[in-house]
Structures are given as C-alpha cells and as structure tokens.
Amino acid sequence: MERNLPIGVFDSGVGGLTVVKEIMNQLPQETIVYFGDTARVPYGDKSKETITAYSRQITRFLLSKKVKAVVVACNTASAYALETVQKGCPVPMLGVIKPGAKTAAASTKNGRIGVIGTEGTIRSGLYEEYLREISPKSRVFKKACPLFVPLVEEGWLDDEVTRQVSRRYLAELLEQQVDTIVLGCTHYPLLRKVIQETAGDAVTLVNPAYETACELREMLAERGWLNDGSSAPAHQFYVSDGAEKFRKFARSILPGDAATAEDIFLKVLTL
Ligand code: DGL
C-alpha cells in the first residue's frame, strides 16, 4: 500500500466535517477525499437496506479515488451499513460507533450512559451492543433526537428554540442520572454548548469523532501507512447537491487553511 494515498471519508451531508476536523487536527499531513451525500440527506430516518445501498455506492466511488482507508463519518451509516460494506472492501473501513462506545465506557463513573442519535442509530442498538461488550455492568439509556439535525442545518446552534428542544429530549436521560452522554450523530458536536447547558457540568459529553481520529492514526501507524508529509495535502470534497451551502459549512467547521481556502476543491457529483 502506498502510504501517501488519501483517506476516504463519507457522511450523509455536512455533519461528517466534524470528523474531518478531528482527522485534520490529529493527522495534518494526510489528504482527505470527502463525499457528502447532500442530495439524499437525511439518512437518519431511512431503512437499513437503503443506507447500505448508499454506503456501498459511496465506498465504491472513494475506492475509485484510490484511498488507503475509508472512514464512515456518519453514525447512521456506521450503525446500519459498516458491517456489510466492509466485507467486500479491499481497504480498512472504520466507523464512529465503536470509538464512541469506547470513550463513553472509559468516561462514566456511575455506569449510567446516555446515547443520543438519529432514529436509525438508536433503533440499530449498536452503541448498546458495543457498550455491553466493553463494559457489561453499564446501563444504557437512549433517545432519538430527530429535530437536532435540521436545527444545526438551519444554523440555530445557540438559540432559544434549540434550548427548548434540547431540554425536552434530554429530560428522560437526565431523570435516569446518566453521567455521560454520547453525541451519537455527526451534527450534535455543533450543539455541544446547548446540550452541555441542558445536561449540566456534571455530565460528560462524548464526541466519537475524536476517538475515531485516534483509531485511524493508530491503524495507519501500525501498518506503516502514515503519510510521510513530503507534499502538502490537497483535500478533495465531493457533494451530491448544494455546493454553496456545503462550502459555507466547511468554512465554519474546518480548521486553519482548509477552512479559509477560497479555492477549496469542491465538486457536485451524481453517483
Ligand atoms: N450524519 C448523520 C448521522 O451521524 C446525521 C444526519 C442524517 O440524518 O443524515 O447519523
């Protein structure tokens, strides 16, 4: 495997940029090829079959860009499709759920963990499954929060409406005295301030993106596949619709140069 090949990352839309941000912070020498399926977002309310078909199609596209690994930067796709799609994939694939579960298990003190995510992620039960494996004594309380994604897309990150929605969604989990909440959807780290305010400082919020980037770094290092940094990364971003909205989002989320570059490589593509 050529160590300087890019890393493929995909999501249902813009949310996966929160994962890209962590990868760029931890692995600044790596090149990213990102696909955001902005024409078909949201994934959160679609069936397992549909999400698996989309994920397979996008993985095929990323492989055509000769990536050395694929990161499924979408909780719903990680929950529904990763296991199936990785079977036929010639390069390693990583999802966000296992790393998120690992961090939550390490963080909880009272063994009571809350998981919030899209309807699909919550329905899949995968966070619980991993948590049961890693930390059999912990108890998991989950809640689908479907309104959070449109609120983020609307840019209402620090808004009274968002606060009200957050209070309503989190009430059940807080009644259960969880001390850790997994932000099990790529959009939720952008609502961190509001969610933390609702949950209170005693609750630790887990962003699976951070641990996913750590696992990616470890996996590449173990295989001797870390980019040698001999040339500056030339990231490529592909979306299936709405390039301008994506560009705006990318600028507000991505670190440093990647965010400010006027000429960020961005292409609209129909798979
Ligand atoms: N990216 C999705 C996830 O992490 C959230 C948005 C959607 O529903 O597509 O589950």
Side-chain angles (χ1 to χ4, degrees), residues 112 170-178:
R112 301 174 80 82
L170 298 189
E172 285 167 36
L173 300 183
L174 298 173
E175 263 168 36
Q176 295 298 335
Q177 309 204 312
V178 298

Side-chain angles (χ1 to χ4, degrees), residues 71-247:
V71 177
V72 184
C74 172
N75 284 263
T76 312
S78 298
Y80 273 163
L82 176 62
E83 203 187 333
T84 310
V85 178
Q86 74 183 352
K87 281 187 190 130
C89 185
V91 301
M93 284 184 85
L94 257 73
V96 285
I97 296 198
K98 208 175 202 168
K102 215 168 112 186
T103 316
S107 138
T108 186
K109 302 242 173 353
N110 69 2
R112 301 174 80 82
I113 300 169
V115 177
I116 55 176
T118 64
E119 273 155 3
T121 299
I122 296 304
R123 208 179 313 122
S124 79
L126 202 61
Y127 270 111
E128 282 153 291
E129 213 175 282
Y130 283 134
L131 280 164
R132 220 175 296 131
E133 264 173 39
I134 307 167
S135 163
K137 286 200 186 124
S138 62
R139 290 198 58 193
V140 180
F141 304 91
K142 51 190 189 170
K143 179 77 185 165
C145 305
L147 292 177
F148 276 166
V149 169
L151 285 167
V152 169
E153 302 257 333
E154 197 59 33
W156 292 9
L157 305 184
D158 189 6
D159 188 279
E160 192 41 40
V161 172
T162 312
R163 264 184 220 105
Q164 278 181 24
V165 171
S166 172
R167 284 198 285 269
R168 191 145 167 190
Y169 278 148
L170 298 189
E172 285 167 36
L173 300 183
L174 298 173
E175 263 168 36
Q176 295 298 335
Q177 309 204 312
V178 298
D179 72 348
T180 299
I181 295 179
V182 182
L183 305 177
C185 170
T186 49
H187 284 61
Y188 299 178
L190 299 166
L191 296 178
R192 188 175 199 119
K193 184 168 175 271
V194 167
I195 296 173
Q196 190 77 69
E197 231 173 77
T198 313
D201 289 341
V203 174
T204 304
L205 300 184
V206 168
N207 175 6
Y210 176 80
E211 186 61 26
T212 303
C214 296
E215 288 203 2
L216 175 66
R217 194 187 54 220
E218 278 162 29
M219 187 273 287
L220 295 175
E222 265 166 28
R223 290 168 192 247
W225 289 3
L226 284 169
N227 192 303
D228 64 16
S230 53
S231 51
H235 308 299
Q236 298 172 37
F237 296 88
Y238 295 88
V239 289
S240 43
D241 201 359
E244 270 326 298
K245 191 172 173 195
F246 183 89
R247 193 186 296 275

